[in-house]
Amino acid sequence: MAFDISLTIWISVRPILKLFLNILLGVLAAKFNMISPDTARELSGIIVWILVPSLFFQSIVTGISNASQLGVTVATLIISSCLYTAIAYGLGHLTRIITKPPRNFRNGVIFATCMANSGDICIAVVGSIVSHSSYGAAGVPTAIAYIAIFNLPIVFFYFLVAYKSVADDFKDIGVEDEQIVVDTSQSITEHEILPSSTSLLHIDVSSESKDSNLPPNVTSKPPRPRMITSAKKIFSAASKSESAKLWLRVTIYNANNWAVILGIVFANVSVLRNLLIPAKDSKSDPPLGFVFETMQFVGNSAVPLGLINVGYTLGRLNLKTIRPFLKTAFVVTVFRLIAFPAILFPIVYYVVKVWNIVGLKDDNILMLVLLYEACVPTAVSLIYFTLMLSKGNGMDAIGSVFAIQYPISIITMTLCLILSLFILQF
């Protein structure tokens, strides 16, 4: 079949447009204050702990059950994930050598290059491509299952290495000696540290606040900002005990990890699988079919809500002070969006497709997942890390990376998709 370049371009552009329109809704929600920071934070919890696990579990059960060479497929995805992370980590160190970032971004620049948005963006784009291919809608759960398995080792790496490394960027900042401006004209929870060049810390100063010495906001004019010099109690997120609790929560207690593991078990143990999905020749409903249908219904909302939350986070970044960091942001963008796929595309193509080392050259969904995972921009979770650990003083550098990288990724991801579809003749 002849390769239709115009059709391939349109097939590649369409999911990218859908992706960024979805993200734009979140940006607009931030710019017009449609969603409060507290609501966005709670929504993140719902997405991470309920919606995404439901999506991963039901996709794996329906997408990889009874798959040929299942063990080889899972091993290929996990080994590939580790290889991708190692290469990106090396590029991150090269980025730091080239850019010589400021002290509070020395490790942040490594993970701005290394940490990829390998979840919701991949699911949205790859799922759209697969659904419009010869695989049809039946191939989408398989694609999501592959992405879920690919992300399993990444989660452990992010919170074993990335979180601690970003915390090290700010561990020497003496918060007791710093003066932090508190804007008393705002009434936002004390846990929110807004990304701002002036490091404004917004805390609740309502009349019901027992611990604050600040007067309630009752005057017709905004009260003058006051200076607080003892911020140590507020900024304790990077302590060892808190780090240990966070590590347990995002690794051992992580619902996404268990959704992947249990999904693989249920998918390949027929007795368990038949509790959720009808057996091949069975005409009766499975005993827990209604539970599985609920998980499908809930999981389908994970990606659009997740992308809205990505847009909301990007929309709240302060972009007025990024100029000093443009060089660093540009180098990170080049390594993340150009150099990284340029390295991985030949490796994946020859190892999987040409040499058929793993015996999966005919699994085009696997190939598409592996190729596209090399093309995505930096994970928005790095913003959360920096926001939590920087005490409000580290957002300009990371904000510049996202301000430069995400608009450019519209072009680079589209070109990568065109090349992927040409390689696969999808």
Side-chain angles (χ1 to χ4, degrees):
M1 185 176 66
F3 181 72
D4 189 334
I5 184 64
S6 59
L7 178 61
T8 302
I9 291 174
W10 170 240
I11 292 174
S12 302
V13 168
R14 178 174 54 197
I16 302 298
L17 292 176
K18 288 169 57 180
L19 170 74
F20 278 91
L21 284 175
N22 200 157
I23 291 175
L24 180 62
L25 294 176
V27 174
L28 294 175
K31 294 302 182 184
F32 290 98
N33 295 316
M34 298 178 188
I35 303 174
S36 70
D38 285 340
T39 301
R41 188 182 303 110
E42 291 163 358
L43 178 60
S44 296
I46 293 172
I47 293 169
V48 169
W49 297 104
I50 300 176
L51 304 187
V52 173
S54 298
L55 176 67
F56 281 0
F57 180 82
Q58 58 93 3
S59 296
I60 289 172
V61 170
T62 58
I64 68 169
S65 58
N66 301 321
S68 61
Q69 296 182 292
L70 175 63
V72 176
T73 302
V74 172
T76 299
L77 287 165
I78 291 178
I79 293 172
S80 297
S81 178
C82 295
L83 175 65
Y84 281 38
T85 302
I87 293 174
Y89 191 58
L91 289 177
H93 279 278
L94 184 58
T95 304
R96 185 168 77 173
I97 293 172
I98 293 173
T99 60
K100 296 179 174 60
R103 180 176 61 87
N104 66 351
F105 198 50
R106 282 180 53 78
N107 292 321
V109 75
I110 293 174
F111 292 98
T113 309
C114 177
M115 289 178 64
N117 197 328
S118 53
D120 43 16
I121 286 182
C122 283
I123 292 173
V125 175
V126 173
S128 178
I129 293 292
V130 171
S131 66
H132 288 88
S133 70
S134 59
Y135 291 96
V140 175
T142 301
I144 297 175
Y146 287 171
I147 293 169
I149 296 169
F150 184 91
N151 275 274
L152 189 59
I154 291 176
V155 171
F156 284 89
F157 175 78
Y158 283 178
F159 289 94
L160 282 171
V161 180
Y163 180 84
K164 183 180 182 302
S165 297
V166 174
D168 287 344
D169 280 344
F170 305 100
K171 69 178 181 180
D172 296 327
I173 296 178
V175 296
E176 289 185 328
D177 298 326
E178 288 181 344
Q179 288 188 323
I180 301 169
V181 181
V182 177
D183 183 356
T184 61
S185 66
Q186 303 289 335
S187 180
I188 303 177
T189 65
E190 65 179 356
H191 302 291
E192 184 201 359
I193 308 171
L194 296 179
S196 170
S197 59
T198 55
S199 302
L200 287 179
L201 169 65
H202 297 267
I203 64 175
D204 189 352
V205 292
S206 64
S207 58
E208 292 149 4
S209 178
K210 297 179 181 180
D211 298 328
S212 175
N213 295 321
L214 301 176
N217 184 13
V218 295
T219 59
S220 58
K221 296 181 180 180
R224 292 177 59 190
R226 296 186 60 185
M227 310 301 291
I228 292 181
T229 57
S230 58
K232 185 175 182 179
K233 183 178 179 180
I234 296 175
F235 299 121
S236 59
S239 67
K240 290 183 179 179
S241 61
E242 290 297 321
S243 297
K245 291 177 182 178
L246 180 64
W247 182 86
L248 286 173
R249 186 179 182 188
V250 299
T251 55
I252 305 302
Y253 302 148
N254 192 320
N256 297 318
N257 295 344
W258 284 110
V260 173
I261 294 168
L262 292 175
I264 294 174
V265 172
F266 271 75
N268 294 279
V269 177
S270 58
V271 174
L272 296 175
R273 184 173 184 270
N274 292 340
L275 292 175
L276 304 173
I277 299 176
K280 189 173 183 180
D281 299 322
S282 175
K283 295 181 180 180
S284 60
D285 291 333
L288 299 179
F290 67 96
V291 175
F292 192 73
E293 291 172 2
T294 301
M295 297 184 74
Q296 289 178 312
F297 181 71
V298 170
N300 288 338
S301 62
V303 173
L305 284 178
L307 292 174
I308 287 175
N309 222 29
V310 169
Y312 181 83
T313 303
L314 297 176
R316 289 184 63 81
L317 289 175
N318 188 337
L319 305 181
K320 296 180 180 179
T321 56
I322 68 172
R323 186 169 297 177
F325 305 97
L326 286 179
K327 175 188 173 182
T328 300
F330 179 75
V331 174
V332 170
T333 299
V334 169
F335 277 113
R336 177 72 247 171
L337 299 181
I338 299 176
F340 190 61
I343 294 170
L344 267 301
F345 264 54
I347 295 175
V348 172
Y349 176 68
Y350 281 99
V351 170
V352 179
K353 198 73 174 176
V354 177
W355 299 332
N356 195 26
I357 291 176
V358 295
L360 297 172
K361 69 174 184 178
D362 296 326
D363 192 341
N364 281 341
I365 295 180
L366 176 69
M367 277 287 295
L368 182 61
V369 168
L370 292 178
L371 291 174
Y372 195 72
E373 287 283 5
C375 307
V376 292
T378 301
V380 175
S381 55
L382 187 59
I383 295 178
Y384 304 147
F385 282 3
T386 307
L387 188 60
M388 182 188 305
L389 299 167
S390 69
K391 308 172 179 64
N393 296 316
M395 297 307 300
D396 293 338
I398 191 62
S400 68
V401 170
F402 283 85
I404 297 297
Q405 193 178 123
Y406 268 71
I408 293 177
S409 70
I410 298 176
I411 299 172
T412 58
M413 286 196 295
T414 301
L415 293 176
C416 285
L417 269 181
I418 293 173
L419 180 57
S420 299
L421 295 180
F422 173 75
I423 291 172
L424 301 175
Q425 295 292 304
F426 224 72

